[in-house]
Structures are given as structure tokens and as C-alpha cells.
Amino acid sequence: MRAYDFSPLLRSSVGFDRIEHLFRGLERASTDTSFPPYNIVKKDADNYRITMAVAGFAEDEIEITANQSSLKVTGKSAKEKDDAEYLHRGLAARSFNQNFELAETIKVVGADMENGLLHIDLVREIPEALKPRTIEIASSKLIESKAA
């Protein structure tokens, strides 16, 4: 097991308590299988799309769950009811569980399936409180006159 020391990164940072958790999630994601295959596309500055190849799965066999900072896509394949003897089985019919870590400002806005591809649309929504703002520097003369 690897142990990382994040203290040099955090010396000049405030409020990044979750950074170690995020790095652990990234490490876990790199060791997970990549079934089903997927693409992550940045459509523009604030819009993203995850496209997963889910051929053989019906819409009711796929569940998408969005939490605060994660997206979970689960596929449960229906049991094969035919008694066919396969000479080659190249289409995967196994269940899957794929997790994605999301930034706090990323929201899932919709999903659709087309031609065996599952499309999940994401958008970056920065709350007004998190947008940059200018802080005025109060003059010490102004403060003294208010106190008097």
C-alpha cells in the first residue's frame, strides 16, 4: 500500500480537507476495470458529457445515481433465457458498476440512450457565493471617524 504525504501541497492552502479523499478516489479509479468503455468530453467551458458503450443493456437495466461529489452508473444485465450454444460470445452481458468523482460545482443535468450509447450530461454551476469578488480595503481614517 502506498502512503502519500500531502503536507507540502497544503502549506499555503485553506479548506482543502477533502483533497486526500479525492486523491484516494483517483488512485482507486485507476485500478478499477474500465468496463464498459466510456469517453468524457468537454463540450465547452461549463458543459461536459460522459458517453458509455452499454450495448445489450435496456434503459430499465441501468441506474444512474448522483450524490454530492460522485456519480455512480450501475448496469444489471437480465439473465439469459435462451438455451443457445454460443460458438463465440463477444458481447459482454456482465453487470457493471462505474464511479466518477465530481467537483463540487458539477451537476448532472440529464441522461439519454441512443444506439447502445448512454449519454450523461453535466454542467458546471458556480454559486454566486463562490464567484470571485473584489474586497475593498477600509481606510483607517474612515474607521476612526465612524468610531467617534
Side-chain angles (χ1 to χ4, degrees):
M1 179 155 190
R2 298 180 204 148
Y4 296 104
D5 180 17
F6 295 110
S7 57
L9 296 172
L10 301 175
R11 280 189 198 132
S12 60
S13 303
V14 178
F16 287 94
D17 305 334
R18 290 189 36 211
I19 196 161
E20 185 174 355
H21 171 70
L22 290 174
F23 280 123
R24 299 276 182 243
L26 291 173
E27 181 180 14
R28 209 173 32 253
S30 67
T31 60
D32 290 346
T33 67
S34 61
F35 178 79
Y38 62 88
N39 292 335
I40 301 175
V41 177
K42 184 174 183 178
K43 295 165 67 175
D44 59 37
D46 294 322
N47 292 288
Y48 301 86
R49 175 175 266 193
I50 298 172
T51 300
M52 300 179 75
V54 292
F57 287 87
E59 290 177 13
D60 62 344
E61 296 174 332
I62 296 176
E63 181 177 322
I64 303 169
T65 308
N67 290 327
Q68 270 185 330
S69 62
S70 68
L71 173 67
K72 181 178 179 181
V73 182
T74 306
K76 294 185 180 168
S77 180
K79 299 281 185 190
E80 291 284 332
K81 295 188 180 173
D82 61 357
D83 293 326
E85 179 182 343
Y86 289 92
L87 300 178
H88 173 75
R89 188 163 189 162
L91 296 176
R94 65 181 187 259
S95 297
F96 67 88
N97 185 14
Q98 190 66 257
N99 293 303
F100 299 93
E101 292 287 329
L102 303 178
E104 293 175 358
T105 56
I106 300 293
K107 305 294 180 221
V108 178
V109 293
D112 66 277
M113 264 181 71
E114 178 184 6
N115 298 329
L117 296 175
L118 173 65
H119 303 287
I120 304 170
D121 293 315
L122 309 159
V123 67
R124 178 190 323 269
E125 294 178 352
I126 300 176
E128 199 63 39
L130 296 179
K131 290 183 180 176
R133 62 187 192 337
T134 304
I135 309 298
E136 291 186 34
I137 301 173
S139 170
S140 59
K141 293 178 184 175
L142 182 63
I143 294 173
E144 290 172 7
S145 67
K146 284 185 179 180

